[in-house]
Amino acid sequence: MESMMDESALEGMEDDPKALGKMMKKMGKEMGEELPPEFDDVVDRLEAGQSPEDIESAIPDLGGAESPGGGTRNL
């Protein structure tokens, strides 16, 4: 998990949705926590090559969904 926190590991990912999806899937597994179904949906879309912008357009509530604490959460 520590290696993923290194900013250099993220370089170029904004231009490579498949690599970003692969990294997010690995990060999700390493966290060992139950993630919301939206996380899997986003990862699947990224791995299929869909851009983050296209995903945000297709799932408009994604970035500002209500969290159980009353605030907003981002994936």
Side-chain angles (χ1 to χ4, degrees), residues 64-74:
E66 282 288 321
S67 69
T72 59
R73 63 179 169 80
N74 293 315

Side-chain angles (χ1 to χ4, degrees), residues 1 23-41 43 73-75:
M1 185 81 161
M23 184 273 306
M24 287 179 64
K25 182 180 275 186
K26 183 177 179 182
M27 182 177 64
K29 286 181 182 178
E30 288 190 16
M31 288 175 58
E33 296 179 18
E34 186 68 30
L35 297 170
E38 295 89 356
F39 181 83
D40 291 331
D41 188 24
V43 169
R73 63 179 169 80
N74 293 315
L75 292 181

Side-chain angles (χ1 to χ4, degrees), residues 17 42 45-46 48-60 62:
V42 168
R45 288 169 179 263
L46 287 168
Q50 191 172 5
S51 74
E53 293 80 15
D54 289 342
I55 295 170
E56 283 186 67
S57 295
I59 313 172
L62 191 60

